[in-house]
Structure formats: structure tokens, C-alpha cells
Amino acid sequence: NAGVMQNPRHLVRRRGQEARLRCSPMKGHSHVYWYRQLPEEGLKFMVYLQKENIIDESGMPKERFSAEFPKEGPSILRIQQVVRGDSAAYFCASSPPVPGSIGNTIYFGEGSWLTVV
Amino acid sequence: AQTVTQSQPEMSVQEAETVTLSCTYDTSESDYYLFWYKQPPSRQMILVIRQEAYKQQNATENRFSVNFQKAAKSFSLKISDSQLGDAAMYFCAYRSDINNDMRFGAGTRLTVKP
């Protein structure tokens, strides 16, 4: 799982600013997931992407949050006009492209901690 | 959407003893994958064990084993010979075989007493 790279690891933003979190999946992985973890809580699914496609964004707040996974480059989770309630750990995970394959496991990055002051 | 339920927010076990963490899930699919992840204080998510739904045999990884009851939609994790390093949050997860969607339970915090 060390292969999923997230940056920045820690990000501090003032209320109203924008936060951009980046995720580079493991080599050969074309599926990316974003999860949010509030303090002392479990992981909440946010969005699931393939290259250039959003597959499932049912966990994304309707406003201020967006995600993309372009053909080239990392996946980006963007939070506009951040509020204190956005303070959380944001985990990215990636998986291989073939559904149903044996060992079909997602691998996590080390997380990005967003603090809104 | 599938849901995953972990009914034990906290559990504790004496070092060297055995503990079982519960997990149930709700799905209408017949093929899927189940996982247990461990999150130590470092907050990194570490895969502990996985189970394919089409396999009847319970998965085992050293001191970790599962009791997979497909009809009951239950997937418990047994940790044998508990060690201090096992102390962590444990998350049960379900992954669809159709769309690769993956959902997590709320977690169980395991404390290991020396």
C-alpha cells in the first residue's frame, strides 16, 4: 500500500479558502477511491473514479466538493470555500482495473490531513 | 447500496487470548469480496485478511482467521494469541464484484491488555 501516494500529508487552510488533495495510484491501477475519516469515526465513502470517469459520487457532498481523475496525472479532490467541518483525514485508495479478479483488493495511501482554521 | 455494520464500537482482550470482532453486511449480490483492515494509531490502513464470497473455506492469515457465513451475511474476525501490536481500529469492508464499489463499517476499537 505504500505505492499509493497522497500529498500533501498535512494541509492547513483558513475558512473560505480552497483545498486540493492529490492522489497518485499504484502503478497499473486505474481505479481510485476517496474516503473521508472524521476524528474517532470510520471511513466514509466519497467518490469512486476511473480514468476520466466518475463511476460513483454518491458520497460526495452536493456543494463545494469535486473530484477528477484525468487521463494524465493524479486524481484531485477539491474542496472549495472550506469550513471547519471539513477538517478530517482524506484517504485515497486504488485498485487494479479488472473487476472480479482474484485478490481484488484496494490499497490505501497514508492519508491527507486537512485542518481548517 | 450495500451497508456494512460493526456492532461493537470497542472491544478489549488480554494479551495471548483470543478475541472475535463482528461484522454483518447487507447485499443482494451473490459475488463479492470481504475484507478486514487494521488502522493503528499511525492512521495507515493495513489489509489484514480478505475473503471471496464464492469460496466456502474461511480465509486464514497466521493468527487471523474469519468466520464467513454467507447465508447469514456475517463475516467475523478472530484474532488468536493477541499481541500488544494488534491494538488498533479494525474496519470490515465489502466490495462489489460488479462495480468495484467498496464500503466500510464504522469500526471496532480493539484494546490489548498486557
Side-chain angles (χ1 to χ4, degrees), chain A residues 31 33 35 40 100 105-106, chain B residues 33 37 50 95 97 100 109:
Chain A
H31 296 196
Y33 308 75
Y35 293 85
E40 302 302 318
T105 302
I106 74 170
Chain B
Y33 300 84
Y37 282 86
R50 62 174 171 240
R95 184 166 190 197
D97 193 37
N100 283 340
R109 182 178 299 281

Side-chain angles (χ1 to χ4, degrees), chain B residues 49-76:
Chain B
I49 198 166
R50 62 174 171 240
Q51 172 85 39
E52 292 87 353
Y54 62 84
K55 288 187 177 179
Q56 292 187 339
Q57 186 174 7
N58 289 325
T60 299
E61 289 286 343
N62 300 314
R63 296 183 296 107
F64 299 87
S65 61
V66 299
N67 183 5
F68 173 47
Q69 301 289 328
K70 191 171 184 179
K73 298 178 182 176
S74 170
F75 182 62
S76 60

Side-chain angles (χ1 to χ4, degrees), chain A residues 4 20 33-34 47-48 87 92 106 113:
Chain A
V4 179
R20 286 192 179 218
Y33 308 75
W34 285 95
V47 64
Y48 163 42
S87 296
C92 172
I106 74 170
W113 270 256

Side-chain angles (χ1 to χ4, degrees), chain A residues 1 31 33 35 37 40 42 45 48 56 58 89 91 95 99-106 108 110 113, chain B residues 33 35 37 39 42-47 50 52 54 91 95 97-106 109:
Chain A
N1 58 2
H31 296 196
Y33 308 75
Y35 293 85
Q37 187 177 35
E40 302 302 318
F45 169 79
Y48 163 42
D56 182 352
S58 59
F91 285 91
S95 69
S101 60
I102 293 175
N104 197 3
T105 302
I106 74 170
F108 281 86
E110 296 185 330
W113 270 256
Chain B
Y33 300 84
F35 305 85
Y37 282 86
Q39 188 179 45
S42 67
R43 302 295 294 273
Q44 188 167 4
M45 294 291 288
I46 301 168
L47 176 66
R50 62 174 171 240
E52 292 87 353
Y54 62 84
F91 294 98
R95 184 166 190 197
D97 193 37
I98 297 174
N99 60 14
N100 283 340
D101 200 358
M102 189 155 181
R103 304 299 166 111
F104 287 79
R109 182 178 299 281

